[in-house]
mmCIF file of all heavy atoms in Angstrom:
data_model
loop_
_atom_site.group_PDB
_atom_site.id
_atom_site.type_symbol
_atom_site.label_atom_id
_atom_site.label_comp_id
_atom_site.label_asym_id
_atom_site.label_seq_id
_atom_site.Cartn_x
_atom_site.Cartn_y
_atom_site.Cartn_z
ATOM 1 N N ALA O 1 0.830 -1.203 -0.009
ATOM 2 C CA ALA O 1 -0.018 0.002 -0.001
ATOM 3 C C ALA O 1 0.858 1.239 -0.018
ATOM 4 O O ALA O 1 0.566 2.233 -0.690
ATOM 5 C CB ALA O 1 -0.928 0.018 1.200
ATOM 6 N N ALA O 2 1.939 1.252 0.750
ATOM 7 C CA ALA O 2 2.778 2.438 0.852
ATOM 8 C C ALA O 2 3.543 2.694 -0.422
ATOM 9 O O ALA O 2 3.888 3.847 -0.736
ATOM 10 C CB ALA O 2 3.763 2.254 1.992
ATOM 11 N N ASN O 3 3.800 1.629 -1.216
ATOM 12 C CA ASN O 3 4.638 1.792 -2.413
ATOM 13 C C ASN O 3 3.837 1.874 -3.724
ATOM 14 O O ASN O 3 4.355 2.415 -4.685
ATOM 15 C CB ASN O 3 5.637 0.658 -2.473
ATOM 16 C CG ASN O 3 6.780 0.813 -1.532
ATOM 17 O OD1 ASN O 3 7.771 1.478 -1.816
ATOM 18 N ND2 ASN O 3 6.640 0.235 -0.316
ATOM 19 N N ASP O 4 2.653 1.295 -3.750
ATOM 20 C CA ASP O 4 1.919 1.247 -5.019
ATOM 21 C C ASP O 4 0.413 1.122 -4.754
ATOM 22 O O ASP O 4 -0.170 0.054 -4.931
ATOM 23 C CB ASP O 4 2.438 0.079 -5.883
ATOM 24 C CG ASP O 4 1.915 0.128 -7.324
ATOM 25 O OD1 ASP O 4 1.063 1.022 -7.627
ATOM 26 O OD2 ASP O 4 2.326 -0.708 -8.143
ATOM 27 N N MET O 5 -0.191 2.208 -4.384
ATOM 28 C CA MET O 5 -1.639 2.196 -4.100
ATOM 29 C C MET O 5 -2.463 1.788 -5.287
ATOM 30 O O MET O 5 -3.408 0.983 -5.145
ATOM 31 C CB MET O 5 -2.080 3.551 -3.563
ATOM 32 C CG MET O 5 -1.710 3.839 -2.131
ATOM 33 S SD MET O 5 -2.706 5.221 -1.474
ATOM 34 C CE MET O 5 -2.433 6.491 -2.710
ATOM 35 N N PRO O 6 -2.246 2.373 -6.488
ATOM 36 C CA PRO O 6 -3.139 2.024 -7.629
ATOM 37 C C PRO O 6 -3.168 0.565 -7.929
ATOM 38 O O PRO O 6 -4.270 -0.012 -8.163
ATOM 39 C CB PRO O 6 -2.538 2.866 -8.778
ATOM 40 C CG PRO O 6 -1.814 3.985 -8.086
ATOM 41 C CD PRO O 6 -1.248 3.416 -6.834
ATOM 42 N N THR O 7 -2.005 -0.068 -7.971
ATOM 43 C CA THR O 7 -1.963 -1.513 -8.312
ATOM 44 C C THR O 7 -2.663 -2.325 -7.227
ATOM 45 O O THR O 7 -3.405 -3.298 -7.517
ATOM 46 C CB THR O 7 -0.527 -1.990 -8.476
ATOM 47 O OG1 THR O 7 0.089 -1.225 -9.508
ATOM 48 C CG2 THR O 7 -0.470 -3.470 -8.835
ATOM 49 N N MET O 8 -2.477 -1.944 -5.965
ATOM 50 C CA MET O 8 -3.110 -2.667 -4.896
ATOM 51 C C MET O 8 -4.643 -2.506 -4.975
ATOM 52 O O MET O 8 -5.395 -3.494 -4.742
ATOM 53 C CB MET O 8 -2.615 -2.194 -3.558
ATOM 54 C CG MET O 8 -3.129 -2.970 -2.384
ATOM 55 S SD MET O 8 -2.425 -2.390 -0.831
ATOM 56 C CE MET O 8 -2.875 -3.749 0.249
ATOM 57 N N ALA O 9 -5.094 -1.339 -5.307
ATOM 58 C CA ALA O 9 -6.540 -1.108 -5.438
ATOM 59 C C ALA O 9 -7.145 -1.931 -6.546
ATOM 60 O O ALA O 9 -8.225 -2.532 -6.374
ATOM 61 C CB ALA O 9 -6.817 0.392 -5.675
ATOM 62 N N ARG O 10 -6.448 -2.046 -7.647
ATOM 63 C CA ARG O 10 -6.933 -2.901 -8.746
ATOM 64 C C ARG O 10 -6.917 -4.359 -8.354
ATOM 65 O O ARG O 10 -7.882 -5.122 -8.679
ATOM 66 C CB ARG O 10 -6.069 -2.673 -10.003
ATOM 67 C CG ARG O 10 -6.268 -1.314 -10.652
ATOM 68 C CD ARG O 10 -5.648 -1.303 -12.049
ATOM 69 N NE ARG O 10 -4.202 -1.443 -11.992
ATOM 70 C CZ ARG O 10 -3.336 -0.428 -11.863
ATOM 71 N NH1 ARG O 10 -3.798 0.806 -11.755
ATOM 72 N NH2 ARG O 10 -2.050 -0.672 -11.865
ATOM 73 N N TRP O 11 -5.906 -4.790 -7.637
ATOM 74 C CA TRP O 11 -5.819 -6.186 -7.188
ATOM 75 C C TRP O 11 -7.006 -6.495 -6.248
ATOM 76 O O TRP O 11 -7.608 -7.571 -6.354
ATOM 77 C CB TRP O 11 -4.511 -6.376 -6.449
ATOM 78 C CG TRP O 11 -4.322 -7.713 -5.795
ATOM 79 C CD1 TRP O 11 -3.932 -8.865 -6.363
ATOM 80 C CD2 TRP O 11 -4.523 -7.981 -4.378
ATOM 81 N NE1 TRP O 11 -3.878 -9.866 -5.395
ATOM 82 C CE2 TRP O 11 -4.243 -9.345 -4.203
ATOM 83 C CE3 TRP O 11 -4.917 -7.226 -3.296
ATOM 84 C CZ2 TRP O 11 -4.330 -9.970 -2.941
ATOM 85 C CZ3 TRP O 11 -4.994 -7.813 -2.049
ATOM 86 C CH2 TRP O 11 -4.716 -9.175 -1.871
ATOM 87 N N LEU O 12 -7.336 -5.574 -5.381
ATOM 88 C CA LEU O 12 -8.454 -5.791 -4.460
ATOM 89 C C LEU O 12 -9.767 -6.018 -5.175
ATOM 90 O O LEU O 12 -10.597 -6.807 -4.734
ATOM 91 C CB LEU O 12 -8.588 -4.588 -3.526
ATOM 92 C CG LEU O 12 -7.818 -4.655 -2.195
ATOM 93 C CD1 LEU O 12 -7.872 -3.305 -1.479
ATOM 94 C CD2 LEU O 12 -8.358 -5.745 -1.329
ATOM 95 N N GLN O 13 -9.978 -5.333 -6.302
ATOM 96 C CA GLN O 13 -11.220 -5.484 -7.006
ATOM 97 C C GLN O 13 -11.406 -6.899 -7.584
ATOM 98 O O GLN O 13 -12.553 -7.353 -7.834
ATOM 99 C CB GLN O 13 -11.283 -4.479 -8.154
ATOM 100 C CG GLN O 13 -11.369 -3.027 -7.700
ATOM 101 C CD GLN O 13 -11.259 -2.040 -8.826
ATOM 102 O OE1 GLN O 13 -11.095 -2.415 -10.005
ATOM 103 N NE2 GLN O 13 -11.363 -0.766 -8.511
ATOM 104 N N GLU O 14 -10.294 -7.606 -7.748
ATOM 105 C CA GLU O 14 -10.333 -8.949 -8.352
ATOM 106 C C GLU O 14 -10.331 -10.081 -7.302
ATOM 107 O O GLU O 14 -10.432 -11.244 -7.680
ATOM 108 C CB GLU O 14 -9.174 -9.121 -9.305
ATOM 109 C CG GLU O 14 -9.114 -8.093 -10.421
ATOM 110 C CD GLU O 14 -7.799 -8.110 -11.174
ATOM 111 O OE1 GLU O 14 -6.894 -8.881 -10.750
ATOM 112 O OE2 GLU O 14 -7.656 -7.393 -12.155
ATOM 113 N N GLN O 15 -10.172 -9.725 -6.022
ATOM 114 C CA GLN O 15 -10.051 -10.746 -4.989
ATOM 115 C C GLN O 15 -11.390 -11.068 -4.323
ATOM 116 O O GLN O 15 -12.240 -10.186 -4.144
ATOM 117 C CB GLN O 15 -9.047 -10.261 -3.931
ATOM 118 C CG GLN O 15 -7.692 -9.938 -4.459
ATOM 119 C CD GLN O 15 -7.026 -11.100 -5.179
ATOM 120 O OE1 GLN O 15 -6.973 -12.211 -4.657
ATOM 121 N NE2 GLN O 15 -6.636 -10.861 -6.423
ATOM 122 N N PRO O 16 -11.588 -12.317 -3.934
ATOM 123 C CA PRO O 16 -12.786 -12.667 -3.179
ATOM 124 C C PRO O 16 -12.753 -12.091 -1.768
ATOM 125 O O PRO O 16 -11.676 -11.824 -1.255
ATOM 126 C CB PRO O 16 -12.755 -14.194 -3.160
ATOM 127 C CG PRO O 16 -11.299 -14.538 -3.276
ATOM 128 C CD PRO O 16 -10.709 -13.486 -4.182
ATOM 129 N N ALA O 17 -13.893 -11.887 -1.203
ATOM 130 C CA ALA O 17 -13.977 -11.368 0.154
ATOM 131 C C ALA O 17 -13.365 -12.368 1.118
ATOM 132 O O ALA O 17 -13.426 -13.575 0.940
ATOM 133 C CB ALA O 17 -15.412 -11.111 0.529
ATOM 134 N N GLY O 18 -12.745 -11.838 2.171
ATOM 135 C CA GLY O 18 -12.143 -12.728 3.189
ATOM 136 C C GLY O 18 -11.207 -11.920 4.072
ATOM 137 O O GLY O 18 -11.011 -10.711 3.870
ATOM 138 N N PRO O 19 -10.624 -12.573 5.054
ATOM 139 C CA PRO O 19 -9.744 -11.873 6.003
ATOM 140 C C PRO O 19 -8.587 -11.160 5.342
ATOM 141 O O PRO O 19 -8.184 -10.056 5.772
ATOM 142 C CB PRO O 19 -9.227 -13.002 6.922
ATOM 143 C CG PRO O 19 -10.298 -14.058 6.831
ATOM 144 C CD PRO O 19 -10.793 -14.000 5.428
ATOM 145 N N ARG O 20 -8.007 -11.745 4.264
ATOM 146 C CA ARG O 20 -6.843 -11.088 3.659
ATOM 147 C C ARG O 20 -7.267 -9.807 2.955
ATOM 148 O O ARG O 20 -6.568 -8.779 3.102
ATOM 149 C CB ARG O 20 -6.184 -12.036 2.647
ATOM 150 C CG ARG O 20 -5.106 -11.359 1.821
ATOM 151 C CD ARG O 20 -4.316 -12.291 0.926
ATOM 152 N NE ARG O 20 -3.463 -13.115 1.752
ATOM 153 C CZ ARG O 20 -2.660 -14.062 1.234
ATOM 154 N NH1 ARG O 20 -2.662 -14.297 -0.077
ATOM 155 N NH2 ARG O 20 -1.883 -14.778 2.015
ATOM 156 N N THR O 21 -8.347 -9.840 2.229
ATOM 157 C CA THR O 21 -8.772 -8.616 1.562
ATOM 158 C C THR O 21 -9.248 -7.558 2.537
ATOM 159 O O THR O 21 -9.099 -6.351 2.322
ATOM 160 C CB THR O 21 -9.858 -8.886 0.501
ATOM 161 O OG1 THR O 21 -10.909 -9.634 1.146
ATOM 162 C CG2 THR O 21 -9.320 -9.689 -0.642
ATOM 163 N N ASP O 22 -9.811 -8.000 3.661
ATOM 164 C CA ASP O 22 -10.190 -7.046 4.686
ATOM 165 C C ASP O 22 -8.939 -6.337 5.219
ATOM 166 O O ASP O 22 -8.902 -5.122 5.386
ATOM 167 C CB ASP O 22 -10.918 -7.751 5.840
ATOM 168 C CG ASP O 22 -12.385 -8.055 5.507
ATOM 169 O OD1 ASP O 22 -12.877 -7.592 4.458
ATOM 170 O OD2 ASP O 22 -13.013 -8.765 6.302
ATOM 171 N N GLN O 23 -7.914 -7.120 5.514
ATOM 172 C CA GLN O 23 -6.658 -6.509 6.028
ATOM 173 C C GLN O 23 -6.064 -5.603 4.958
ATOM 174 O O GLN O 23 -5.504 -4.582 5.250
ATOM 175 C CB GLN O 23 -5.684 -7.581 6.458
ATOM 176 C CG GLN O 23 -4.337 -7.042 6.932
ATOM 177 C CD GLN O 23 -4.493 -6.030 8.032
ATOM 178 O OE1 GLN O 23 -5.168 -6.266 9.032
ATOM 179 N NE2 GLN O 23 -3.871 -4.864 7.906
ATOM 180 N N ALA O 24 -6.123 -6.052 3.687
ATOM 181 C CA ALA O 24 -5.577 -5.250 2.607
ATOM 182 C C ALA O 24 -6.265 -3.880 2.546
ATOM 183 O O ALA O 24 -5.636 -2.857 2.275
ATOM 184 C CB ALA O 24 -5.707 -5.956 1.279
ATOM 185 N N ARG O 25 -7.578 -3.887 2.768
ATOM 186 C CA ARG O 25 -8.305 -2.602 2.753
ATOM 187 C C ARG O 25 -7.868 -1.697 3.927
ATOM 188 O O ARG O 25 -7.825 -0.492 3.778
ATOM 189 C CB ARG O 25 -9.809 -2.860 2.769
ATOM 190 C CG ARG O 25 -10.318 -3.370 1.438
ATOM 191 C CD ARG O 25 -11.825 -3.476 1.354
ATOM 192 N NE ARG O 25 -12.276 -3.700 0.009
ATOM 193 C CZ ARG O 25 -12.391 -4.906 -0.577
ATOM 194 N NH1 ARG O 25 -12.153 -5.989 0.142
ATOM 195 N NH2 ARG O 25 -12.722 -5.000 -1.843
ATOM 196 N N VAL O 26 -7.579 -2.285 5.039
ATOM 197 C CA VAL O 26 -7.079 -1.501 6.168
ATOM 198 C C VAL O 26 -5.721 -0.899 5.784
ATOM 199 O O VAL O 26 -5.479 0.316 5.992
ATOM 200 C CB VAL O 26 -6.948 -2.345 7.429
ATOM 201 C CG1 VAL O 26 -6.262 -1.536 8.534
ATOM 202 C CG2 VAL O 26 -8.309 -2.829 7.916
ATOM 203 N N SER O 27 -4.829 -1.703 5.235
ATOM 204 C CA SER O 27 -3.520 -1.217 4.815
ATOM 205 C C SER O 27 -3.627 -0.114 3.771
ATOM 206 O O SER O 27 -2.979 0.934 3.888
ATOM 207 C CB SER O 27 -2.671 -2.387 4.259
ATOM 208 O OG SER O 27 -2.466 -3.392 5.237
ATOM 209 N N LEU O 28 -4.463 -0.335 2.808
ATOM 210 C CA LEU O 28 -4.667 0.680 1.772
ATOM 211 C C LEU O 28 -5.284 1.929 2.317
ATOM 212 O O LEU O 28 -4.877 3.053 2.029
ATOM 213 C CB LEU O 28 -5.511 0.100 0.634
ATOM 214 C CG LEU O 28 -5.820 1.027 -0.552
ATOM 215 C CD1 LEU O 28 -4.521 1.454 -1.223
ATOM 216 C CD2 LEU O 28 -6.722 0.316 -1.556
ATOM 217 N N GLY O 29 -6.320 1.757 3.161
ATOM 218 C CA GLY O 29 -7.000 2.892 3.750
ATOM 219 C C GLY O 29 -6.080 3.747 4.580
ATOM 220 O O GLY O 29 -6.206 4.995 4.580
ATOM 221 N N GLU O 30 -5.142 3.144 5.328
ATOM 222 C CA GLU O 30 -4.228 3.928 6.155
ATOM 223 C C GLU O 30 -3.380 4.884 5.332
ATOM 224 O O GLU O 30 -3.109 6.007 5.724
ATOM 225 C CB GLU O 30 -3.330 2.976 6.933
ATOM 226 C CG GLU O 30 -4.052 2.290 8.109
ATOM 227 C CD GLU O 30 -3.168 1.340 8.864
ATOM 228 O OE1 GLU O 30 -2.220 0.805 8.224
ATOM 229 O OE2 GLU O 30 -3.408 1.111 10.059
ATOM 230 N N VAL O 31 -2.966 4.422 4.144
ATOM 231 C CA VAL O 31 -2.187 5.310 3.281
ATOM 232 C C VAL O 31 -3.067 6.339 2.640
ATOM 233 O O VAL O 31 -2.720 7.515 2.540
ATOM 234 C CB VAL O 31 -1.456 4.462 2.217
ATOM 235 C CG1 VAL O 31 -0.656 5.335 1.297
ATOM 236 C CG2 VAL O 31 -0.525 3.436 2.872
ATOM 237 N N GLN O 32 -4.249 5.932 2.191
ATOM 238 C CA GLN O 32 -5.175 6.888 1.569
ATOM 239 C C GLN O 32 -5.620 7.987 2.547
ATOM 240 O O GLN O 32 -5.825 9.124 2.148
ATOM 241 C CB GLN O 32 -6.452 6.144 1.058
ATOM 242 C CG GLN O 32 -6.196 5.258 -0.132
ATOM 243 C CD GLN O 32 -7.421 4.426 -0.461
ATOM 244 O OE1 GLN O 32 -8.203 4.081 0.415
ATOM 245 N NE2 GLN O 32 -7.565 4.130 -1.752
ATOM 246 N N LEU O 33 -5.705 7.627 3.801
ATOM 247 C CA LEU O 33 -6.155 8.587 4.799
ATOM 248 C C LEU O 33 -5.277 9.829 4.850
ATOM 249 O O LEU O 33 -5.765 10.928 5.161
ATOM 250 C CB LEU O 33 -6.208 7.931 6.178
ATOM 251 C CG LEU O 33 -6.877 8.721 7.301
ATOM 252 C CD1 LEU O 33 -8.329 9.057 6.953
ATOM 253 C CD2 LEU O 33 -6.832 7.876 8.595
ATOM 254 N N GLU O 34 -4.006 9.683 4.554
ATOM 255 C CA GLU O 34 -3.079 10.819 4.572
ATOM 256 C C GLU O 34 -3.285 11.673 3.346
ATOM 257 O O GLU O 34 -2.916 12.873 3.372
ATOM 258 C CB GLU O 34 -1.645 10.312 4.627
ATOM 259 C CG GLU O 34 -1.311 9.487 5.857
ATOM 260 C CD GLU O 34 -1.255 10.313 7.123
ATOM 261 O OE1 GLU O 34 -1.175 11.578 6.980
ATOM 262 O OE2 GLU O 34 -1.268 9.757 8.223
ATOM 263 N N ARG O 35 -3.857 11.138 2.287
ATOM 264 C CA ARG O 35 -3.895 11.861 1.014
ATOM 265 C C ARG O 35 -5.359 12.111 0.547
ATOM 266 O O ARG O 35 -5.692 13.191 0.043
ATOM 267 C CB ARG O 35 -3.181 11.087 -0.061
ATOM 268 C CG ARG O 35 -1.758 10.630 0.368
ATOM 269 C CD ARG O 35 -1.145 9.700 -0.650
ATOM 270 N NE ARG O 35 0.075 9.018 -0.136
ATOM 271 C CZ ARG O 35 0.762 8.149 -0.828
ATOM 272 N NH1 ARG O 35 0.434 7.843 -2.052
ATOM 273 N NH2 ARG O 35 1.825 7.602 -0.284
ATOM 274 N N GLU O 36 -6.161 11.077 0.654
ATOM 275 C CA GLU O 36 -7.533 11.159 0.184
ATOM 276 C C GLU O 36 -8.458 10.514 1.209
ATOM 277 O O GLU O 36 -8.944 9.420 1.060
ATOM 278 C CB GLU O 36 -7.657 10.365 -1.147
ATOM 279 C CG GLU O 36 -6.679 10.806 -2.236
ATOM 280 C CD GLU O 36 -6.658 9.794 -3.400
ATOM 281 O OE1 GLU O 36 -6.940 8.596 -3.172
ATOM 282 O OE2 GLU O 36 -6.361 10.224 -4.526
ATOM 283 N N PRO O 37 -8.737 11.258 2.282
ATOM 284 C CA PRO O 37 -9.512 10.658 3.397
ATOM 285 C C PRO O 37 -10.882 10.163 3.007
ATOM 286 O O PRO O 37 -11.343 9.122 3.529
ATOM 287 C CB PRO O 37 -9.570 11.791 4.419
ATOM 288 C CG PRO O 37 -9.164 13.030 3.718
ATOM 289 C CD PRO O 37 -8.294 12.625 2.602
ATOM 290 N N THR O 38 -11.566 10.837 2.101
ATOM 291 C CA THR O 38 -12.876 10.376 1.701
ATOM 292 C C THR O 38 -12.767 9.028 0.988
ATOM 293 O O THR O 38 -13.561 8.105 1.238
ATOM 294 C CB THR O 38 -13.536 11.385 0.727
ATOM 295 O OG1 THR O 38 -13.618 12.654 1.396
ATOM 296 C CG2 THR O 38 -14.940 10.938 0.356
ATOM 297 N N GLU O 39 -11.733 8.879 0.135
ATOM 298 C CA GLU O 39 -11.509 7.587 -0.526
ATOM 299 C C GLU O 39 -11.130 6.507 0.503
ATOM 300 O O GLU O 39 -11.551 5.348 0.363
ATOM 301 C CB GLU O 39 -10.381 7.730 -1.568
ATOM 302 C CG GLU O 39 -10.163 6.526 -2.437
ATOM 303 C CD GLU O 39 -11.398 6.195 -3.308
ATOM 304 O OE1 GLU O 39 -12.129 7.160 -3.660
ATOM 305 O OE2 GLU O 39 -11.623 5.019 -3.610
ATOM 306 N N ALA O 40 -10.395 6.895 1.529
ATOM 307 C CA ALA O 40 -10.041 5.947 2.560
ATOM 308 C C ALA O 40 -11.305 5.404 3.236
ATOM 309 O O ALA O 40 -11.405 4.225 3.516
ATOM 310 C CB ALA O 40 -9.118 6.572 3.599
ATOM 311 N N MET O 41 -12.271 6.267 3.509
ATOM 312 C CA MET O 41 -13.504 5.838 4.145
ATOM 313 C C MET O 41 -14.287 4.874 3.222
ATOM 314 O O MET O 41 -14.876 3.901 3.687
ATOM 315 C CB MET O 41 -14.348 7.046 4.498
ATOM 316 C CG MET O 41 -13.743 7.900 5.595
ATOM 317 S SD MET O 41 -13.327 6.968 7.067
ATOM 318 C CE MET O 41 -13.134 8.247 8.286
ATOM 319 N N ARG O 42 -14.266 5.154 1.926
ATOM 320 C CA ARG O 42 -14.920 4.228 1.000
ATOM 321 C C ARG O 42 -14.226 2.876 0.975
ATOM 322 O O ARG O 42 -14.900 1.812 0.921
ATOM 323 C CB ARG O 42 -14.944 4.809 -0.426
ATOM 324 C CG ARG O 42 -16.033 5.828 -0.651
ATOM 325 C CD ARG O 42 -16.265 6.130 -2.100
ATOM 326 N NE ARG O 42 -15.172 6.907 -2.662
ATOM 327 C CZ ARG O 42 -15.156 8.232 -2.744
ATOM 328 N NH1 ARG O 42 -16.192 8.910 -2.279
ATOM 329 N NH2 ARG O 42 -14.149 8.843 -3.291
#
């Protein structure tokens, strides 16, 4: 998430729901929160 948010966001769209994708959204959201807080909430 810290190094490549766009690629991670695209990867998330293709993954099934589960604990890993939930954690990935937390990781991605933490980085987005510094730059795009509204997107982080989504």
Side-chain angles (χ1 to χ4, degrees):
N3 284 274
D4 190 356
M5 283 197 306
T7 301
M8 187 178 194
R10 289 193 296 272
W11 173 82
L12 268 172
Q13 294 174 358
E14 301 169 355
Q15 302 303 307
R20 173 174 287 179
T21 52
D22 281 352
Q23 178 54 51
R25 287 187 168 88
V26 173
S27 298
L28 181 60
E30 286 178 333
V31 179
Q32 290 174 328
L33 189 59
E34 299 289 343
R35 312 172 192 179
E36 305 168 332
T38 304
E39 187 63 31
M41 293 306 197
R42 280 196 287 267

